[in-house]
Amino acid sequence: MFCGNCGASNADEFLFCAACGSPLAKPSAQNSATYQSASDPVPSPVVVPKERGNVAQAWADITGSPNWLKRLFLLLIMNCVPVLDLYVKGYSLQWGAQAARGKAEPLAPGVFTKKTLLYGLVPFLLKILAFLGSIVLWAFSVIPIIGVLFTLAGCLLADAFTRLAVMRVGATGRMGSAFDLSELFRVYRKNMGGLVFASAAPVILGGIVVIIVSVVLFALAGIDSYSFMRDVGGHYGYYDYYYDPFDLVFGSVGMVVAFALVGLLSALIQGAVELWTMRAVGYWVSKNAPEWVEQGSDAENPFKAAKAAPVEQAPAE
């Protein structure tokens, strides 16, 4: 502390200057910062990273996995083959269940177990039941505007509930847990909007991609067919002007190819959407129903890697 009268240096506990005897003024807590040296480090503010949403985090997990394009492409090809598409559903359920358990693991190169096909049947069967139950909703679609909106909203809610039931199987490891309706509705009401967004956003984005590519392909096929028929021309018959059937077949090849490409693209996009959606729903379950993971024991959960049993050594004779 420095004296305000003579400028002499004094200890902080002194009340009077040791040189001139003048009273020393104690610095207030508000102005104490002015006595800090310019060389003292100034602590920087702690920046807390913003938590990603379920859909964004699921997509980041896909694109952040090693060789993700290669692994995703293999899954998409398998999704185009009957029976193998069930393996894709089982793989997606396994990976989504890992997110429900709080594990940010990347896409595995091969986690297909003997039960992957069995668990791939879970979303397949539940979606069939959901479709049969939603037939009543489609009856309202005949009502203009309001009926269509009501039907679409009901389908979105039903699809979110179905995916929640599928993820409950993955979290608990028990097939029967998908039909525990009271527990499903209890969790479903916690954050219904977040669950609907997690299950619908990838589907909507995938549908937009399919629509855009389909419009482009059919436009190109239509232009090609029109050009072919214009160049070939028709024939004048006894009664009217007609095209040769052989020319009509070749003129429609472009449309056939376009339909085939759109079907293939839809199957590919569906595989990516399934993987993305189940991962997002898994994150939703980890935040809104963490108790589901605790309900499944290691013996009941087929998605946990089995630990090798310790080998007992024979006693020395």
Side-chain angles (χ1 to χ4, degrees):
M1 181 184 302
F2 296 93
C3 177
N5 183 35
C6 65
S9 177
N10 296 270
D12 293 339
E13 61 270 18
F14 287 358
L15 299 178
F16 300 93
C17 179
C20 66
S22 300
L24 299 175
K26 294 289 184 180
S28 62
Q30 182 177 1
N31 298 329
S32 60
T34 59
Y35 291 91
Q36 292 183 353
S37 173
S39 61
D40 292 343
V42 178
S44 58
V46 179
V47 179
V48 180
K50 185 178 180 180
E51 184 180 3
R52 289 174 174 170
N54 300 320
V55 176
Q57 184 60 54
W59 181 252
D61 290 349
I62 295 176
T63 57
S65 301
N67 299 323
W68 70 275
L69 281 175
K70 178 181 178 181
R71 296 175 185 177
L72 182 61
F73 181 73
L74 178 61
L75 288 172
L76 301 188
I77 293 298
M78 295 178 65
N79 193 64
C80 299
V81 182
V83 179
L84 290 182
D85 62 332
L86 298 178
Y87 277 94
V88 177
K89 291 180 174 61
Y91 181 97
S92 302
L93 179 55
Q94 285 178 303
W95 202 47
Q98 289 180 353
R101 299 176 185 280
K103 297 181 180 179
E105 298 180 359
L107 286 170
V111 294
F112 297 119
T113 64
K114 60 183 180 180
K115 292 188 177 181
T116 302
L117 177 60
L118 176 62
Y119 280 85
L121 288 172
V122 175
F124 176 76
L125 296 176
L126 290 181
K127 285 183 179 180
I128 291 179
L129 295 176
F131 174 76
L132 295 177
S134 63
I135 293 178
V136 179
L137 292 174
W138 290 103
F140 291 92
S141 61
V142 297
I143 304 175
I145 302 177
I146 297 178
V148 174
L149 294 177
F150 178 81
T151 302
L152 292 177
C155 290
L156 290 177
L157 295 175
D159 183 69
F161 186 83
T162 302
R163 293 188 183 277
L164 180 62
V166 172
M167 186 50 60
R168 178 162 167 77
V169 175
T172 61
R174 297 192 301 270
M175 300 285 289
S177 62
F179 302 96
D180 190 358
L181 298 182
S182 61
E183 176 63 17
L184 290 172
F185 275 112
R186 182 188 70 83
V187 176
Y188 185 66
R189 292 192 296 266
K190 280 186 175 182
N191 185 9
M192 187 184 303
L195 179 60
V196 171
F197 182 79
S199 60
V203 177
I204 294 175
L205 293 176
I208 292 175
V209 173
V210 173
I211 291 175
I212 293 176
V213 176
S214 300
V215 170
V216 173
L217 288 177
F218 283 123
L220 294 176
I223 294 174
D224 179 71
S225 299
Y226 173 77
S227 300
F228 179 85
M229 299 302 294
R230 183 187 60 184
D231 295 339
V232 171
H235 306 279
Y236 287 98
Y238 185 81
Y239 294 103
D240 55 3
Y241 184 82
Y242 69 96
Y243 283 96
D244 189 276
F246 187 79
D247 296 335
L248 291 174
V249 170
F250 274 91
S252 60
V253 169
M255 283 294 179
V256 175
V257 173
F259 273 108
L261 291 178
V262 169
L264 178 62
L265 177 65
S266 299
L268 294 175
I269 294 296
Q270 183 182 3
V273 165
E274 185 72 18
L275 184 68
W276 188 6
T277 303
M278 294 310 298
R279 186 69 170 181
V281 173
Y283 276 117
W284 186 94
V285 169
S286 68
K287 299 173 183 177
N288 296 275
E291 64 275 8
W292 285 2
V293 177
E294 300 175 357
Q295 294 173 3
S297 63
D298 292 351
E300 296 168 340
N301 184 8
F303 303 129
K304 284 190 176 181
K307 296 182 180 180
V311 179
E312 297 182 359
Q313 297 181 355
E317 297 181 356

